[in-house]
Amino acid sequence: MQSPSGVELAGLAGLLIAIPAVAFLGNSGRRHTGPARRAHLLVAAGAAIAAAAALAGALTELLTEPPVPRMGLGTAVAAGTAIGVLTLLVGTAVLPGAAESTGAAVRHLLDGLVVAAAIWFVGWVLVVPPTRILGDATPMACPSVVVPAGLAVFSLGLTIVLALHAHRPRLITVRVAGGVTLVAAAAVAIASGICQDWDGAVLAGAVLLSAGLFVVARAVKVADRPVEVVGDVTDRSTGYAVIPMVAMVAAAVYHLARNGDFDAYGLAGASLEGFALVGRQFLALRDVRRYTLELRSREAHFRELAHTDPLTGLANRRGLQRALRESGESRVLVGIDLDGFKTVNDMRGHDVGDAVLTEVGERLRRNLLDGDVAARLGGDEFAVLMRGNADEALLTAHRLLAVLGEPYEVDGLAVFLSASIGVADSTTLSPADTGELIRDADLALRYAKQRGKNRVERYQARYDELLRRRGTLENELRHAIDRDQLRLVFQPVVALPSMRPVGAEALLRWTHPTLGAVRPDEFIPVAEESGLINRIGSWVLEQACMQLAEWLARGHDVWVSVNLSPKELHAADYAGQVADVLEQHGVPPQRLVLEVTEHAVATDLEELISRLAELRATGVRIALDDFGAGYSSLGQLRTLPVDILKIDHALVAEPESRTGMAAPLVDVVVRMGHRLGLEVLAEGIGTPAQRAVVEEAGCRLGQGSLFGWGVPAEHLEAQLQTLRQGVRPVPAPRSAPPADGAPRSQVVVLGPGMRQLRALLPSDPGFVAPTGDATD
């Protein structure tokens, strides 16, 4: 046994230097978790196997003297290092940042094989005859080095692919792949040096092995940093495959031109190139198929989102229209609208409102059959498309009415709502008339709301006529003032029991040249819904004050009342508008009475009180019309700033009760009004018997057909001129309101020995009497 040379010892020392790098890689693998741990452990294992195989081969060469060429030892070293390099390659391919998935790692490996096969083939052409670029140094005596040489080429190809396709930052992954390539080249050098007893090659391989492992160890230390995933494989260029193929073709043409032959190594390189391209093409086709399926799935998902309400998960309007087109002929549409839902949003907030809408959607789902489609059309409006006939749909609609009317529990609080439902069927429509069916259901729904809400209505053909007439009324009403089609008539208000006219109520009439006389109960709701009521109300106030000014100028001691819409009352600075009109025509404010219907009390009571107080501050009187319709209570009367109660005609016309008294509630209302300091006016008096009942109850003002219908101003003026007996004094302005509240009443003399706390009207004989306690 000969003493080892310095080169051999240097090579052995170089291999020993690689041990710390292997230890560092092993420690890195133990510290990681998840998929990163697997990749780091593979890299560490590959480094350990390659270093161990190289170190074992070098020690064996030093301790033994096998004959040259050392085929067995070289083959063993080549096999061991090849296993280590292969393990390193797999670990590199699955490192974080190298590929987003296992499939992507396989694609990288196949791409690297495409490049490597081309490099192998070009290198083979350069090494074998006739080119034989290495000459006598060609290591043909050790065929075992072919395996590590192939892996070295494969490592180089993988490094190139990762440099092109790895996610950013790519430098980390490329460093790892480059280090593995150095290890693979070291394996070739060590195996070749041991096989042919080239100490210099062994030394070079030891240096490369240690350098490569340290490069890998340094790179994997930061391999876990976040990466930026950009694009997908369909966006990547195919230059990595085209260029190698062009190089292989050029090398093959050159080799054939030099009369070269193709041996097993050349054929292996060409075959690997072909198989790698076929495999890569297979994966590409699979990727395209997968991306196509994903695209279709996403398209279907977004299409479904376009037809779905995001809050309730029900179909939206588009989804309902699609279901209508696909439903066939036997179909019924149920339109649903929640009554009073806006109040829930205003009082409880939109979060509670959304929770209620979600619960409505759940209740609809639970109470429908398979094949029925529930949809939210927007806001608090829903619809249900059913297959069947109208009778079945009506039964379902009544069931839904009961279900939707149950309390909604939200955050421990109960929310009470009702619903209005309209039902329309398609018996007279074609399958293509989806818009007509929706319109019919909407008409039935609107009719249900107009008839009092919380009910079910089935569409009828006459609803179309009502809709067309409403549209005509709205269009013509916009021009009624300009075309001088509106006029006022005045119904007298008389003092009881003298039946002397003391005032009049201004009533609006509309006569159209083609529509004829349009009833107020028909065009007033249209004006309110279309927003025309403010302009019409201003015109009525102007005309009424103008007429009142004329009567006062002619010496008639009367007052005029004007009906006030709730929408007018809530208009900005309405009290200021009233004051301006009174000042313009020189009308004393106490001569004007503004009538507010009892229905207005059902709105925001605080806001109503504030608006009425502003009007009373101008000096006008406020009358509560239609009292007894059921909206106001005794407690509300005590707080409402009103001066007059107008008893609803239904109470006046009430038949005898079981006690034998005619209209028993009139007496109750009159007494209650007087106790509250209010004047009471009974309207709707049509017979002498009703007048007698009203007089007996102590009511001092009456109105109704018994005293006259609404007549033009000149007719009423003629009555005033005929019935006037002397001139009563002009009423004095009412006393200023106390500082702590709005003015309501005064103590007035009713007769000898009689006094009462009540509101004063111009019709009272003692209107100018002192407001203190009266004495005989």
Side-chain angles (χ1 to χ4, degrees), residues 598-664:
E598 196 186 11
H599 298 271
V601 181
T603 60
D604 188 348
L605 185 60
E606 293 184 2
E607 178 68 15
L608 177 64
I609 293 175
S610 173
R611 295 287 184 171
L612 293 180
E614 290 178 2
L615 286 173
R616 291 186 88 240
T618 65
V620 302
R621 300 296 179 179
I622 305 297
L624 183 61
D625 198 8
D626 299 333
F627 182 77
Y631 284 89
S632 57
S633 65
L634 179 60
Q636 292 171 337
L637 280 179
R638 295 175 64 88
T639 57
L640 285 173
V642 297
D643 302 280
I644 306 171
L645 282 186
K646 295 189 71 172
I647 304 177
D648 188 68
H649 64 86
L651 298 184
V652 175
E654 185 180 10
E656 291 187 4
S657 67
R658 56 186 176 87
T659 62
M661 299 174 57

Side-chain angles (χ1 to χ4, degrees), residues 150-224:
L151 289 176
V153 174
F154 183 44
S155 299
L156 180 59
L158 181 61
T159 302
I160 295 173
V161 169
L162 291 177
L164 295 173
H165 294 165
H167 299 303
R168 296 185 179 92
R170 296 172 178 166
L171 183 59
I172 298 172
T173 307
V174 173
R175 283 178 179 175
V176 176
V180 174
T181 302
L182 291 178
V183 173
V188 175
I190 293 174
S192 300
I194 292 176
C195 180
Q196 298 192 8
D197 196 21
W198 291 346
D199 294 339
V202 174
L203 177 59
V207 174
L208 287 176
L209 180 66
S210 298
L213 291 179
F214 273 105
V215 170
V216 173
R218 175 63 179 171
V220 298
K221 185 177 181 180
V222 292
D224 293 332

